[in-house]
Amino acid sequence: MNPTVARLTLRGLLGRRRGLLLLVVPALLLLVSAIASGSSADAHGLTVKILGQLGLGTLVPLLGLVVGTGAIATEIDDGSIVYLLAKPLPRWQIVTTKLAVAIGVTWLFSVVPTLLSGLLLYGTRDGVALGYTVAVLVAGAAYSALFLLLGVVTRHAVVAGLAYALIWESVVGNFVEGARTLSVQQWGKAVAEAVAGDTAIGADVSFGAAVPLLLVVTVGATVLASVKLAGLTLAGEE
């Protein structure tokens, strides 16, 4: 971690417009949960649907996209990254610092609302709220790393990230059985199931497969982003 890089990244992520955008989806999740908590429908089924689809399936990837790409893509697009790269800092340290800040911001705007929503909808029964909260933690880290990588490798990171989140995660990952093994959302559900128990939350991917895949994606995206950023520096200097 580099304190200066962390401070600049945090300031950029929590600017007025982006800060307001980050509040919209968590506020929507809490609003829907508050309204649904007064419903006469099956509380367990309603909680799983809201936290699984709106929370883990929509809130986390969108926040990861906004924060992950915003941590570095904006600086690359406007050229201000050159000033940072001119500092005597290892390129991997720039990436890991920005990723740490991105994960922290993603967690702040997703973990707390998910836990509160779970408690509003179902209380502490069956460990459902806790299960989805832990799922949001691990999925948020993976999404942040993945979208930060997109911010380094392409100038169309937001478009590519939206295509991934909306098409692969929301459509293909939910409805095509074979594709679920390669879905961050499904890996998160596997973790939620392991925390809450098989009868409380259902998952299509085993916990034993989900954890290694989450680690591979998070670490692999971080390493690749470091390599690509180093290549970008060399190209600029040449």
mmCIF file of all heavy atoms in Angstrom, residues 68-115:
data_model
loop_
_atom_site.group_PDB
_atom_site.id
_atom_site.type_symbol
_atom_site.label_atom_id
_atom_site.label_comp_id
_atom_site.label_asym_id
_atom_site.label_seq_id
_atom_site.Cartn_x
_atom_site.Cartn_y
_atom_site.Cartn_z
ATOM 1 N N GLY A 68 -14.137 -0.340 -9.689
ATOM 2 C CA GLY A 68 -12.957 -0.971 -10.253
ATOM 3 C C GLY A 68 -12.404 -0.223 -11.448
ATOM 4 O O GLY A 68 -11.194 0.021 -11.546
ATOM 5 N N THR A 69 -13.283 0.159 -12.384
ATOM 6 C CA THR A 69 -12.812 0.913 -13.546
ATOM 7 C C THR A 69 -12.446 2.344 -13.154
ATOM 8 O O THR A 69 -11.479 2.908 -13.668
ATOM 9 C CB THR A 69 -13.879 0.937 -14.656
ATOM 10 O OG1 THR A 69 -15.099 1.496 -14.133
ATOM 11 C CG2 THR A 69 -14.154 -0.455 -15.173
ATOM 12 N N GLY A 70 -13.208 2.922 -12.230
ATOM 13 C CA GLY A 70 -12.935 4.299 -11.822
ATOM 14 C C GLY A 70 -11.624 4.466 -11.091
ATOM 15 O O GLY A 70 -11.060 5.562 -11.049
ATOM 16 N N ALA A 71 -11.106 3.380 -10.520
ATOM 17 C CA ALA A 71 -9.859 3.466 -9.762
ATOM 18 C C ALA A 71 -8.658 3.750 -10.644
ATOM 19 O O ALA A 71 -7.649 4.291 -10.165
ATOM 20 C CB ALA A 71 -9.634 2.169 -8.979
ATOM 21 N N ILE A 72 -8.746 3.388 -11.949
ATOM 22 C CA ILE A 72 -7.571 3.577 -12.803
ATOM 23 C C ILE A 72 -7.912 3.964 -14.237
ATOM 24 O O ILE A 72 -7.139 4.674 -14.887
ATOM 25 C CB ILE A 72 -6.695 2.298 -12.803
ATOM 26 C CG1 ILE A 72 -5.293 2.592 -13.328
ATOM 27 C CG2 ILE A 72 -7.367 1.184 -13.604
ATOM 28 C CD1 ILE A 72 -4.307 1.476 -13.060
ATOM 29 N N ALA A 73 -9.046 3.527 -14.749
ATOM 30 C CA ALA A 73 -9.364 3.767 -16.163
ATOM 31 C C ALA A 73 -9.456 5.255 -16.480
ATOM 32 O O ALA A 73 -8.999 5.695 -17.546
ATOM 33 C CB ALA A 73 -10.675 3.069 -16.528
ATOM 34 N N THR A 74 -10.030 6.045 -15.582
ATOM 35 C CA THR A 74 -10.179 7.480 -15.825
ATOM 36 C C THR A 74 -8.826 8.150 -15.959
ATOM 37 O O THR A 74 -8.622 9.001 -16.830
ATOM 38 C CB THR A 74 -10.973 8.134 -14.678
ATOM 39 O OG1 THR A 74 -12.223 7.469 -14.529
ATOM 40 C CG2 THR A 74 -11.209 9.608 -14.965
ATOM 41 N N GLU A 75 -7.870 7.754 -15.116
ATOM 42 C CA GLU A 75 -6.536 8.339 -15.170
ATOM 43 C C GLU A 75 -5.816 7.961 -16.457
ATOM 44 O O GLU A 75 -5.049 8.758 -17.001
ATOM 45 C CB GLU A 75 -5.723 7.878 -13.957
ATOM 46 C CG GLU A 75 -6.273 8.368 -12.632
ATOM 47 C CD GLU A 75 -5.467 7.847 -11.459
ATOM 48 O OE1 GLU A 75 -4.315 7.438 -11.663
ATOM 49 O OE2 GLU A 75 -5.996 7.843 -10.341
ATOM 50 N N ILE A 76 -6.035 6.748 -16.931
ATOM 51 C CA ILE A 76 -5.417 6.324 -18.182
ATOM 52 C C ILE A 76 -6.030 7.085 -19.349
ATOM 53 O O ILE A 76 -5.338 7.533 -20.267
ATOM 54 C CB ILE A 76 -5.570 4.804 -18.374
ATOM 55 C CG1 ILE A 76 -4.751 4.057 -17.319
ATOM 56 C CG2 ILE A 76 -5.126 4.387 -19.770
ATOM 57 C CD1 ILE A 76 -4.899 2.554 -17.371
ATOM 58 N N ASP A 77 -7.354 7.266 -19.330
ATOM 59 C CA ASP A 77 -8.044 7.943 -20.422
ATOM 60 C C ASP A 77 -7.623 9.404 -20.556
ATOM 61 O O ASP A 77 -7.428 9.904 -21.669
ATOM 62 C CB ASP A 77 -9.559 7.862 -20.224
ATOM 63 C CG ASP A 77 -10.087 6.454 -20.473
ATOM 64 O OD1 ASP A 77 -9.362 5.658 -21.110
ATOM 65 O OD2 ASP A 77 -11.214 6.149 -20.026
ATOM 66 N N ASP A 78 -7.515 10.103 -19.418
ATOM 67 C CA ASP A 78 -7.175 11.532 -19.506
ATOM 68 C C ASP A 78 -5.672 11.803 -19.465
ATOM 69 O O ASP A 78 -5.229 12.954 -19.530
ATOM 70 C CB ASP A 78 -7.893 12.336 -18.412
ATOM 71 C CG ASP A 78 -7.477 11.934 -16.997
ATOM 72 O OD1 ASP A 78 -6.406 11.320 -16.832
ATOM 73 O OD2 ASP A 78 -8.237 12.242 -16.055
ATOM 74 N N GLY A 79 -4.874 10.743 -19.336
ATOM 75 C CA GLY A 79 -3.428 10.902 -19.380
ATOM 76 C C GLY A 79 -2.772 11.253 -18.055
ATOM 77 O O GLY A 79 -1.542 11.318 -17.967
ATOM 78 N N SER A 80 -3.570 11.468 -17.007
ATOM 79 C CA SER A 80 -2.989 11.852 -15.716
ATOM 80 C C SER A 80 -2.209 10.721 -15.062
ATOM 81 O O SER A 80 -1.436 10.956 -14.127
ATOM 82 C CB SER A 80 -4.083 12.347 -14.768
ATOM 83 O OG SER A 80 -5.039 11.329 -14.525
ATOM 84 N N ILE A 81 -2.387 9.486 -15.559
ATOM 85 C CA ILE A 81 -1.643 8.356 -15.013
ATOM 86 C C ILE A 81 -0.146 8.525 -15.225
ATOM 87 O O ILE A 81 0.668 7.960 -14.482
ATOM 88 C CB ILE A 81 -2.132 7.037 -15.676
ATOM 89 C CG1 ILE A 81 -1.579 5.811 -14.948
ATOM 90 C CG2 ILE A 81 -1.721 6.999 -17.140
ATOM 91 C CD1 ILE A 81 -2.158 5.574 -13.611
ATOM 92 N N VAL A 82 0.241 9.341 -16.215
ATOM 93 C CA VAL A 82 1.657 9.555 -16.511
ATOM 94 C C VAL A 82 2.382 10.149 -15.307
ATOM 95 O O VAL A 82 3.518 9.767 -14.997
ATOM 96 C CB VAL A 82 1.818 10.479 -17.735
ATOM 97 C CG1 VAL A 82 3.288 10.854 -17.946
ATOM 98 C CG2 VAL A 82 1.248 9.813 -18.972
ATOM 99 N N TYR A 83 1.738 11.063 -14.606
ATOM 100 C CA TYR A 83 2.363 11.691 -13.446
ATOM 101 C C TYR A 83 2.587 10.672 -12.331
ATOM 102 O O TYR A 83 3.596 10.723 -11.621
ATOM 103 C CB TYR A 83 1.485 12.840 -12.941
ATOM 104 C CG TYR A 83 1.302 13.930 -13.969
ATOM 105 C CD1 TYR A 83 0.142 14.008 -14.732
ATOM 106 C CD2 TYR A 83 2.299 14.879 -14.188
ATOM 107 C CE1 TYR A 83 -0.032 14.997 -15.688
ATOM 108 C CE2 TYR A 83 2.140 15.877 -15.142
ATOM 109 C CZ TYR A 83 0.982 15.928 -15.890
ATOM 110 O OH TYR A 83 0.836 16.906 -16.838
ATOM 111 N N LEU A 84 1.657 9.748 -12.193
ATOM 112 C CA LEU A 84 1.795 8.717 -11.171
ATOM 113 C C LEU A 84 2.882 7.718 -11.557
ATOM 114 O O LEU A 84 3.682 7.291 -10.723
ATOM 115 C CB LEU A 84 0.459 8.001 -10.981
ATOM 116 C CG LEU A 84 0.384 6.956 -9.872
ATOM 117 C CD1 LEU A 84 0.724 7.574 -8.516
ATOM 118 C CD2 LEU A 84 -0.997 6.323 -9.828
ATOM 119 N N LEU A 85 2.925 7.359 -12.827
ATOM 120 C CA LEU A 85 3.912 6.389 -13.288
ATOM 121 C C LEU A 85 5.325 6.965 -13.277
ATOM 122 O O LEU A 85 6.308 6.217 -13.290
ATOM 123 C CB LEU A 85 3.564 5.915 -14.711
ATOM 124 C CG LEU A 85 2.240 5.175 -14.865
ATOM 125 C CD1 LEU A 85 2.011 4.777 -16.311
ATOM 126 C CD2 LEU A 85 2.196 3.942 -13.968
ATOM 127 N N ALA A 86 5.413 8.294 -13.268
ATOM 128 C CA ALA A 86 6.735 8.926 -13.223
ATOM 129 C C ALA A 86 7.372 8.833 -11.841
ATOM 130 O O ALA A 86 8.579 9.044 -11.686
ATOM 131 C CB ALA A 86 6.621 10.396 -13.644
ATOM 132 N N LYS A 87 6.574 8.509 -10.839
ATOM 133 C CA LYS A 87 7.099 8.366 -9.482
ATOM 134 C C LYS A 87 7.885 7.062 -9.358
ATOM 135 O O LYS A 87 7.626 6.095 -10.055
ATOM 136 C CB LYS A 87 5.943 8.367 -8.469
ATOM 137 C CG LYS A 87 5.056 9.603 -8.523
ATOM 138 C CD LYS A 87 5.813 10.844 -8.136
ATOM 139 C CE LYS A 87 4.894 12.064 -8.148
ATOM 140 N NZ LYS A 87 5.632 13.317 -7.811
ATOM 141 N N PRO A 88 8.869 7.049 -8.457
ATOM 142 C CA PRO A 88 9.687 5.826 -8.273
ATOM 143 C C PRO A 88 8.943 4.764 -7.471
ATOM 144 O O PRO A 88 9.328 4.392 -6.359
ATOM 145 C CB PRO A 88 10.914 6.342 -7.522
ATOM 146 C CG PRO A 88 10.407 7.515 -6.737
ATOM 147 C CD PRO A 88 9.360 8.167 -7.628
ATOM 148 N N LEU A 89 7.854 4.279 -8.054
ATOM 149 C CA LEU A 89 7.026 3.258 -7.399
ATOM 150 C C LEU A 89 6.964 2.016 -8.278
ATOM 151 O O LEU A 89 6.819 2.126 -9.498
ATOM 152 C CB LEU A 89 5.597 3.766 -7.180
ATOM 153 C CG LEU A 89 5.387 4.901 -6.180
ATOM 154 C CD1 LEU A 89 3.936 5.370 -6.259
ATOM 155 C CD2 LEU A 89 5.707 4.441 -4.779
ATOM 156 N N PRO A 90 7.048 0.835 -7.690
ATOM 157 C CA PRO A 90 6.827 -0.380 -8.483
ATOM 158 C C PRO A 90 5.410 -0.367 -9.043
ATOM 159 O O PRO A 90 4.467 0.028 -8.365
ATOM 160 C CB PRO A 90 7.005 -1.506 -7.456
ATOM 161 C CG PRO A 90 7.756 -0.902 -6.325
ATOM 162 C CD PRO A 90 7.356 0.539 -6.277
ATOM 163 N N ARG A 91 5.262 -0.777 -10.282
ATOM 164 C CA ARG A 91 3.941 -0.745 -10.910
ATOM 165 C C ARG A 91 2.953 -1.659 -10.199
ATOM 166 O O ARG A 91 1.772 -1.362 -10.131
ATOM 167 C CB ARG A 91 4.063 -1.124 -12.399
ATOM 168 C CG ARG A 91 4.990 -0.214 -13.205
ATOM 169 C CD ARG A 91 4.683 1.257 -12.989
ATOM 170 N NE ARG A 91 5.664 2.120 -13.642
ATOM 171 C CZ ARG A 91 6.330 3.089 -13.038
ATOM 172 N NH1 ARG A 91 6.152 3.289 -11.738
ATOM 173 N NH2 ARG A 91 7.173 3.845 -13.707
ATOM 174 N N TRP A 92 3.453 -2.762 -9.668
ATOM 175 C CA TRP A 92 2.551 -3.666 -8.950
ATOM 176 C C TRP A 92 2.004 -3.008 -7.696
ATOM 177 O O TRP A 92 0.879 -3.280 -7.289
ATOM 178 C CB TRP A 92 3.264 -4.979 -8.583
ATOM 179 C CG TRP A 92 4.421 -4.836 -7.635
ATOM 180 C CD1 TRP A 92 5.740 -4.739 -7.964
ATOM 181 C CD2 TRP A 92 4.359 -4.761 -6.207
ATOM 182 N NE1 TRP A 92 6.516 -4.608 -6.831
ATOM 183 C CE2 TRP A 92 5.687 -4.624 -5.736
ATOM 184 C CE3 TRP A 92 3.314 -4.810 -5.277
ATOM 185 C CZ2 TRP A 92 5.996 -4.523 -4.380
ATOM 186 C CZ3 TRP A 92 3.624 -4.692 -3.926
ATOM 187 C CH2 TRP A 92 4.951 -4.559 -3.486
ATOM 188 N N GLN A 93 2.794 -2.117 -7.081
ATOM 189 C CA GLN A 93 2.332 -1.437 -5.867
ATOM 190 C C GLN A 93 1.226 -0.445 -6.187
ATOM 191 O O GLN A 93 0.292 -0.264 -5.396
ATOM 192 C CB GLN A 93 3.500 -0.725 -5.184
ATOM 193 C CG GLN A 93 3.158 -0.213 -3.790
ATOM 194 C CD GLN A 93 4.356 0.396 -3.094
ATOM 195 O OE1 GLN A 93 4.968 1.344 -3.593
ATOM 196 N NE2 GLN A 93 4.712 -0.145 -1.939
ATOM 197 N N ILE A 94 1.310 0.178 -7.356
ATOM 198 C CA ILE A 94 0.236 1.077 -7.783
ATOM 199 C C ILE A 94 -1.059 0.289 -7.947
ATOM 200 O O ILE A 94 -2.128 0.702 -7.483
ATOM 201 C CB ILE A 94 0.611 1.779 -9.104
ATOM 202 C CG1 ILE A 94 1.815 2.706 -8.895
ATOM 203 C CG2 ILE A 94 -0.575 2.559 -9.658
ATOM 204 C CD1 ILE A 94 2.333 3.326 -10.176
ATOM 205 N N VAL A 95 -0.960 -0.864 -8.604
ATOM 206 C CA VAL A 95 -2.142 -1.694 -8.850
ATOM 207 C C VAL A 95 -2.723 -2.225 -7.541
ATOM 208 O O VAL A 95 -3.935 -2.155 -7.308
ATOM 209 C CB VAL A 95 -1.800 -2.858 -9.804
ATOM 210 C CG1 VAL A 95 -2.961 -3.856 -9.864
ATOM 211 C CG2 VAL A 95 -1.492 -2.323 -11.184
ATOM 212 N N THR A 96 -1.872 -2.770 -6.667
ATOM 213 C CA THR A 96 -2.390 -3.350 -5.424
ATOM 214 C C THR A 96 -2.982 -2.279 -4.511
ATOM 215 O O THR A 96 -3.968 -2.534 -3.815
ATOM 216 C CB THR A 96 -1.286 -4.114 -4.674
ATOM 217 O OG1 THR A 96 -0.148 -3.267 -4.473
ATOM 218 C CG2 THR A 96 -0.844 -5.340 -5.457
ATOM 219 N N THR A 97 -2.409 -1.093 -4.521
ATOM 220 C CA THR A 97 -2.964 -0.006 -3.700
ATOM 221 C C THR A 97 -4.328 0.410 -4.221
ATOM 222 O O THR A 97 -5.291 0.554 -3.460
ATOM 223 C CB THR A 97 -2.014 1.203 -3.687
ATOM 224 O OG1 THR A 97 -0.757 0.821 -3.128
ATOM 225 C CG2 THR A 97 -2.602 2.330 -2.847
ATOM 226 N N LYS A 98 -4.418 0.601 -5.534
ATOM 227 C CA LYS A 98 -5.692 0.989 -6.121
ATOM 228 C C LYS A 98 -6.740 -0.106 -5.934
ATOM 229 O O LYS A 98 -7.912 0.172 -5.678
ATOM 230 C CB LYS A 98 -5.512 1.311 -7.613
ATOM 231 C CG LYS A 98 -4.828 2.648 -7.867
ATOM 232 C CD LYS A 98 -4.719 2.936 -9.338
ATOM 233 C CE LYS A 98 -4.233 4.361 -9.567
ATOM 234 N NZ LYS A 98 -5.221 5.372 -9.129
ATOM 235 N N LEU A 99 -6.308 -1.365 -6.031
ATOM 236 C CA LEU A 99 -7.243 -2.469 -5.831
ATOM 237 C C LEU A 99 -7.736 -2.512 -4.384
ATOM 238 O O LEU A 99 -8.929 -2.730 -4.134
ATOM 239 C CB LEU A 99 -6.585 -3.796 -6.196
ATOM 240 C CG LEU A 99 -7.442 -5.042 -5.969
ATOM 241 C CD1 LEU A 99 -8.728 -4.979 -6.785
ATOM 242 C CD2 LEU A 99 -6.659 -6.309 -6.301
ATOM 243 N N ALA A 100 -6.836 -2.309 -3.432
ATOM 244 C CA ALA A 100 -7.228 -2.319 -2.020
ATOM 245 C C ALA A 100 -8.267 -1.235 -1.737
ATOM 246 O O ALA A 100 -9.253 -1.465 -1.025
ATOM 247 C CB ALA A 100 -6.003 -2.131 -1.138
ATOM 248 N N VAL A 101 -8.047 -0.049 -2.313
ATOM 249 C CA VAL A 101 -9.013 1.041 -2.130
ATOM 250 C C VAL A 101 -10.339 0.698 -2.809
ATOM 251 O O VAL A 101 -11.416 0.909 -2.246
ATOM 252 C CB VAL A 101 -8.452 2.358 -2.693
ATOM 253 C CG1 VAL A 101 -9.509 3.461 -2.654
ATOM 254 C CG2 VAL A 101 -7.221 2.796 -1.902
ATOM 255 N N ALA A 102 -10.268 0.141 -4.017
ATOM 256 C CA ALA A 102 -11.486 -0.230 -4.745
ATOM 257 C C ALA A 102 -12.286 -1.276 -3.986
ATOM 258 O O ALA A 102 -13.514 -1.181 -3.880
ATOM 259 C CB ALA A 102 -11.118 -0.746 -6.136
ATOM 260 N N ILE A 103 -11.598 -2.276 -3.444
ATOM 261 C CA ILE A 103 -12.292 -3.314 -2.672
ATOM 262 C C ILE A 103 -12.932 -2.706 -1.426
ATOM 263 O O ILE A 103 -14.082 -3.013 -1.092
ATOM 264 C CB ILE A 103 -11.311 -4.435 -2.284
ATOM 265 C CG1 ILE A 103 -10.906 -5.236 -3.520
ATOM 266 C CG2 ILE A 103 -11.948 -5.372 -1.245
ATOM 267 C CD1 ILE A 103 -9.827 -6.268 -3.253
ATOM 268 N N GLY A 104 -12.204 -1.839 -0.744
ATOM 269 C CA GLY A 104 -12.740 -1.204 0.455
ATOM 270 C C GLY A 104 -13.992 -0.390 0.172
ATOM 271 O O GLY A 104 -14.983 -0.460 0.916
ATOM 272 N N VAL A 105 -13.969 0.387 -0.920
ATOM 273 C CA VAL A 105 -15.135 1.199 -1.279
ATOM 274 C C VAL A 105 -16.306 0.307 -1.698
ATOM 275 O O VAL A 105 -17.460 0.549 -1.320
ATOM 276 C CB VAL A 105 -14.770 2.188 -2.411
ATOM 277 C CG1 VAL A 105 -16.017 2.915 -2.915
ATOM 278 C CG2 VAL A 105 -13.751 3.200 -1.909
ATOM 279 N N THR A 106 -16.011 -0.736 -2.476
ATOM 280 C CA THR A 106 -17.068 -1.674 -2.884
ATOM 281 C C THR A 106 -17.707 -2.323 -1.665
ATOM 282 O O THR A 106 -18.932 -2.451 -1.579
ATOM 283 C CB THR A 106 -16.493 -2.758 -3.815
ATOM 284 O OG1 THR A 106 -15.923 -2.132 -4.971
ATOM 285 C CG2 THR A 106 -17.582 -3.724 -4.249
ATOM 286 N N TRP A 107 -16.888 -2.742 -0.721
ATOM 287 C CA TRP A 107 -17.415 -3.341 0.503
ATOM 288 C C TRP A 107 -18.272 -2.354 1.287
ATOM 289 O O TRP A 107 -19.329 -2.702 1.802
ATOM 290 C CB TRP A 107 -16.263 -3.831 1.373
ATOM 291 C CG TRP A 107 -15.665 -5.121 0.907
ATOM 292 C CD1 TRP A 107 -16.122 -5.929 -0.099
ATOM 293 C CD2 TRP A 107 -14.492 -5.769 1.433
ATOM 294 N NE1 TRP A 107 -15.308 -7.035 -0.231
ATOM 295 C CE2 TRP A 107 -14.310 -6.962 0.687
ATOM 296 C CE3 TRP A 107 -13.594 -5.455 2.444
ATOM 297 C CZ2 TRP A 107 -13.253 -7.837 0.939
ATOM 298 C CZ3 TRP A 107 -12.535 -6.325 2.691
ATOM 299 C CH2 TRP A 107 -12.369 -7.504 1.951
ATOM 300 N N LEU A 108 -17.808 -1.112 1.373
ATOM 301 C CA LEU A 108 -18.541 -0.108 2.143
ATOM 302 C C LEU A 108 -19.954 0.081 1.622
ATOM 303 O O LEU A 108 -20.908 0.180 2.398
ATOM 304 C CB LEU A 108 -17.781 1.229 2.089
ATOM 305 C CG LEU A 108 -18.467 2.433 2.754
ATOM 306 C CD1 LEU A 108 -18.608 2.214 4.250
ATOM 307 C CD2 LEU A 108 -17.695 3.719 2.459
ATOM 308 N N PHE A 109 -20.091 0.112 0.293
ATOM 309 C CA PHE A 109 -21.397 0.394 -0.304
ATOM 310 C C PHE A 109 -22.209 -0.856 -0.607
ATOM 311 O O PHE A 109 -23.337 -0.744 -1.109
ATOM 312 C CB PHE A 109 -21.224 1.214 -1.580
ATOM 313 C CG PHE A 109 -20.825 2.642 -1.334
ATOM 314 C CD1 PHE A 109 -19.495 3.020 -1.359
ATOM 315 C CD2 PHE A 109 -21.784 3.597 -1.043
ATOM 316 C CE1 PHE A 109 -19.117 4.330 -1.126
ATOM 317 C CE2 PHE A 109 -21.426 4.914 -0.804
ATOM 318 C CZ PHE A 109 -20.082 5.288 -0.841
ATOM 319 N N SER A 110 -21.663 -2.046 -0.336
ATOM 320 C CA SER A 110 -22.424 -3.262 -0.629
ATOM 321 C C SER A 110 -22.620 -4.162 0.583
ATOM 322 O O SER A 110 -23.710 -4.712 0.779
ATOM 323 C CB SER A 110 -21.744 -4.060 -1.743
ATOM 324 O OG SER A 110 -20.443 -4.472 -1.357
ATOM 325 N N VAL A 111 -21.597 -4.311 1.399
ATOM 326 C CA VAL A 111 -21.680 -5.244 2.529
ATOM 327 C C VAL A 111 -22.669 -4.756 3.581
ATOM 328 O O VAL A 111 -23.546 -5.511 4.031
ATOM 329 C CB VAL A 111 -20.290 -5.457 3.163
ATOM 330 C CG1 VAL A 111 -20.404 -6.298 4.433
ATOM 331 C CG2 VAL A 111 -19.363 -6.153 2.162
ATOM 332 N N VAL A 112 -22.541 -3.508 3.964
ATOM 333 C CA VAL A 112 -23.434 -2.967 4.998
ATOM 334 C C VAL A 112 -24.899 -2.978 4.547
ATOM 335 O O VAL A 112 -25.768 -3.453 5.280
ATOM 336 C CB VAL A 112 -22.987 -1.545 5.413
ATOM 337 C CG1 VAL A 112 -23.974 -0.947 6.406
ATOM 338 C CG2 VAL A 112 -21.584 -1.580 6.019
ATOM 339 N N PRO A 113 -25.222 -2.500 3.329
ATOM 340 C CA PRO A 113 -26.619 -2.575 2.881
ATOM 341 C C PRO A 113 -27.139 -4.001 2.778
ATOM 342 O O PRO A 113 -28.312 -4.259 3.078
ATOM 343 C CB PRO A 113 -26.580 -1.906 1.494
ATOM 344 C CG PRO A 113 -25.404 -1.018 1.540
ATOM 345 C CD PRO A 113 -24.389 -1.740 2.379
ATOM 346 N N THR A 114 -26.285 -4.943 2.360
ATOM 347 C CA THR A 114 -26.724 -6.335 2.253
ATOM 348 C C THR A 114 -27.070 -6.903 3.625
ATOM 349 O O THR A 114 -28.096 -7.572 3.794
ATOM 350 C CB THR A 114 -25.627 -7.193 1.596
ATOM 351 O OG1 THR A 114 -25.364 -6.702 0.272
ATOM 352 C CG2 THR A 114 -26.050 -8.658 1.524
ATOM 353 N N LEU A 115 -26.220 -6.656 4.602
ATOM 354 C CA LEU A 115 -26.475 -7.140 5.953
ATOM 355 C C LEU A 115 -27.749 -6.517 6.521
ATOM 356 O O LEU A 115 -28.598 -7.223 7.094
ATOM 357 C CB LEU A 115 -25.285 -6.829 6.858
ATOM 358 C CG LEU A 115 -25.418 -7.260 8.318
ATOM 359 C CD1 LEU A 115 -25.627 -8.759 8.430
ATOM 360 C CD2 LEU A 115 -24.204 -6.826 9.129
#
